[in-house]
Amino acid sequence: GVTRGYIAMVESGRANPSLALVERIGVALGIEFQLVGRPPLRLDGGRPRDLVHARCSGYVDRRIRHAGWSTAREVEVVHGRSHGWIDLLAFDARTGTLLIVEIKTVIDDIGALERQIHWYERAALDLAHDLGWRPRRIMTWVLGLASEDVEAAIRANRDVFAAAFPTRAMDMGAILAGTQVTGHRGIALIDPTSRRRDWLMRTRSDGRRTPAPYLDYAAAARRLA
């Protein structure tokens, strides 16, 4: 029921045949086709909608905007069946720096975190252009809830974090202020109730001596509620 030329286009992947034609081709070739619908892969485990994450996200957004950066929250990333959201994208027009911020209230899978960030970094430039930003460099920060649980996860994987996230709180603060334009992936802690000027907190692995303000996620949830 179709021309030889159209069959040639099907064979070379240049045609978009109807399901009815696909079925007829299957009959001719002795092949049974099945149409299977699957939900998208969500590399971030689904959107966090909890109070603690929301408070942390809003807090970081306000702090970065206060430093003179433009921001966009909950930026959707879709590629094929993969689907996720970047917690925060920020752009500093003064230095041309694009910042990807991933907020973690719990750190339980370092490998998954690195894969998620790598995917976001590949998509970030196109997302920035969609927002009208023209970045010259891209940096990625992981900002963890300042809890003893998160501290323990960082301490248990100290070598991994040292290699994968070499930039630390002091340099991250200088980057936000525009006094430093070089940096790589970074990690710091945050307390969404803090009003300190130096709001990016060092981890104990980086030399901080004071205890974390929260024991764990549940303690943070109780206090922030």
Side-chain angles (χ1 to χ4, degrees), residues 46-66:
R47 277 323 288 140
R49 299 294 183 187
D50 59 90
L51 170 69
V52 179
H53 187 277
R55 286 288 297 275
C56 288
S57 179
Y59 175 79
V60 172
D61 183 35
R62 290 191 298 274
R63 287 288 195 162
I64 292 179
R65 283 192 287 108
H66 183 71

Side-chain angles (χ1 to χ4, degrees), residues 21-38:
L21 179 56
V22 169
E23 184 179 14
R24 296 210 308 275
I25 292 173
V27 170
L29 298 178
I31 298 174
E32 179 183 352
F33 292 104
Q34 292 182 340
L35 180 63
V36 180
R38 295 189 179 93

Side-chain angles (χ1 to χ4, degrees), residues 77-88:
V77 185
V78 180
H79 180 73
R81 290 184 56 234
S82 300
H83 194 184
W85 284 265
I86 297 175
D87 287 325
L88 184 73

